[in-house]
Amino acid sequence: MAKILANDGIDKSGKDLLEKAGHTVITDKVAQADLINYVNANNIEVILVRSATTVRKDLFDACPSVKMVGRGGVGMDNIDVEYGRSKGVDVFNTPGASSQSVAELTMGHLFSLARFLHDSNKHMHANGTTQFEVLKKKYAKGFELRGKTLGIIGFGRIGQSLASYALGCGMNVIANDHHEHEVTVDVHVGSQKIPVKIQTTNFEHTIKNSDFISIHVPKQKDGGAVIGAKELAMMKKGVVLVNSARGGVIDETELLNALNSGQVAAAGLDVFEKEPTPRADLLAHPNICLTPHIGASTNEAQDRIGVEIAERIIKHYSAVKV
Ligand code: 3PG
């Protein structure tokens, strides 16, 4: 049975399943700099991470005991996936388990930005008893989502889940993906699922014709931005952007410039180029709604992730035993 280090934690559901199957699960957080020594000293066979811990070539080279590296979540930019696989390590993620949670957080940002909830909440805490009328005026120019167009860049599982929520709110949805395809999105209305067909369109059309834009692409291989100065200038004036994908896919400096010029009215950010120390000017901007990379951080998503990871490890070790 394996010794498993869940360095960024694992939900109780997954831990229980693994322990019931006879595996040892260690949830102590080992500092990045000490990871290789810890893995070797404790003969760790499985390393589980979220986005905080990185697993790079040096670890794969230095730790021959490691048979599996699991990413509880979607983005694998913190792992040298191909290198690990080339050394025979089973490197995997849980691509579908958190889509709904990320989509719901994105809708939360859109609703917040449309009615200034992030800023209003802050100022009501501080001045609500003395400045009520002033604040009522300050936040009087909200807008509705229904009838507006949401452009989704990256139309995989998360993008499609977001489309389902947006359609359910009466928004129009246009989407761009790395290839053109038609997707049927189920819109949940009570216990019914209403299928809606969406034909993806090109990138330029999507960003030029959207009132709101949400991006759902992985971190680019070269680390570069998908949305920079040129793309921001092509958008409708007063567009609202959300990034709950990866820090850097929207250029942060250009986003600040566009917010300050009014080209972008507001932005919702769950992810940052420099995590866990995002730049202070982003955090201070009144037109940015902020969350600390919590897209997948719901009880439901983490429960599904834990179970999926546990089942994968249990299957791997029962196959090895046979
Ligand atoms: C993901 O790629 O799955 C999300 O960004 C969540 O990352 P986290 O597991 O670190 O919260």
Side-chain angles (χ1 to χ4, degrees):
M1 291 294 115
K3 263 189 166 178
I4 301 165
L5 173 66
N7 207 43
D8 297 326
I10 180 170
D11 195 82
K12 188 176 176 320
S13 52
K15 188 169 184 273
D16 287 351
L17 279 176
L18 286 164
E19 288 175 343
K20 214 169 141 207
H23 299 288
T24 303
V25 183
I26 302 161
T27 53
D28 299 340
K29 175 86 181 174
V30 180
Q32 189 70 48
D34 302 330
L35 195 55
I36 290 178
N37 286 342
Y38 184 93
V39 167
N40 285 333
N42 292 282
N43 201 30
I44 300 293
E45 290 191 20
V46 181
I47 303 176
L48 301 178
V49 299
R50 288 179 60 177
S51 60
T53 301
T54 59
V55 183
R56 297 291 176 210
K57 288 180 181 171
D58 58 344
L59 188 143
F60 286 112
D61 283 339
C63 302
S65 63
V66 173
K67 307 283 181 293
M68 301 179 88
V69 172
R71 173 16 172 151
V74 183
M76 297 178 88
D77 42 289
N78 52 327
I79 304 171
D80 285 335
V81 178
E82 292 315 321
Y83 190 76
R85 286 180 182 157
S86 77
K87 301 205 64 137
V89 178
D90 181 7
V91 185
F92 64 96
N93 64 349
T94 57
S98 52
S99 311
Q100 191 174 320
S101 293
V102 179
E104 288 191 7
L105 182 77
T106 304
M107 289 305 296
H109 275 278
L110 293 179
F111 279 116
S112 181
L113 294 164
R115 303 302 290 273
F116 318 105
L117 302 188
H118 55 293
D119 205 52
S120 161
N121 192 44
K122 209 163 56 189
H123 286 102
M124 281 294 283
H125 275 305
N127 306 312
T129 52
T130 55
Q131 303 277 308
F132 193 93
E133 292 298 339
V134 175
L135 294 175
K136 185 173 163 75
K137 239 187 210 144
K138 182 172 159 88
Y139 304 117
K141 299 275 181 212
F143 45 88
E144 296 176 341
L145 298 188
R146 181 169 290 167
K148 303 291 187 329
T149 298
L150 172 66
I152 301 176
I153 306 295
F155 210 47
R157 291 177 181 87
I158 296 171
Q160 291 176 31
S161 184
L162 175 62
S164 163
Y165 281 100
L167 291 165
C169 289
M171 300 186 83
N172 308 311
V173 171
I174 51 177
N176 163 256
D177 209 4
H178 46 81
H179 67 290
E180 292 218 356
H181 56 131
E182 188 184 84
V183 175
T184 302
V185 169
D186 281 335
V187 179
H188 297 240
V189 182
S191 58
Q192 294 181 59
K193 286 182 190 171
I194 319 270
V196 177
K197 283 192 168 53
I198 296 178
Q199 176 70 44
T200 61
T201 181
N202 68 57
F203 178 76
E204 203 171 309
H205 178 83
T206 306
I207 64 169
K208 277 185 172 169
N209 291 284
S210 300
D211 304 302
F212 300 83
I213 296 173
S214 188
I215 186 155
H216 298 282
V217 297
K219 189 178 171 91
Q220 303 300 285
K221 285 222 159 64
D222 63 1
V226 175
I227 295 179
K230 186 172 124 225
E231 292 76 21
L232 288 163
M234 287 160 76
M235 294 173 186
K236 287 187 184 180
K237 191 167 172 62
V239 67
V240 171
L241 301 182
V242 178
N243 183 7
S244 55
R246 270 297 172 275
V249 297
I250 301 179
D251 185 298
E252 291 179 348
T253 300
E254 296 304 341
L255 175 64
L256 280 169
N257 291 340
L259 281 162
N260 292 335
S261 74
Q263 172 62 10
V264 172
L269 298 180
D270 183 50
V271 288
F272 304 86
E273 274 177 45
K274 291 202 178 95
E275 292 182 20
T277 52
R279 23 191 300 189
D281 48 1
L282 279 179
L283 303 187
H285 203 288
N287 296 351
I288 303 182
C289 177
L290 299 155
T291 47
H293 201 151
I294 54 166
S297 299
T298 61
N299 296 335
E300 292 86 349
Q302 291 306 316
D303 175 71
R304 286 191 292 267
I305 287 170
V307 170
E308 194 174 322
I309 283 179
E311 286 174 347
R312 172 104 183 212
I313 295 169
I314 290 165
K315 195 167 164 206
H316 177 99
Y317 277 88
S318 20
V320 168
K321 210 169 59 187
V322 172

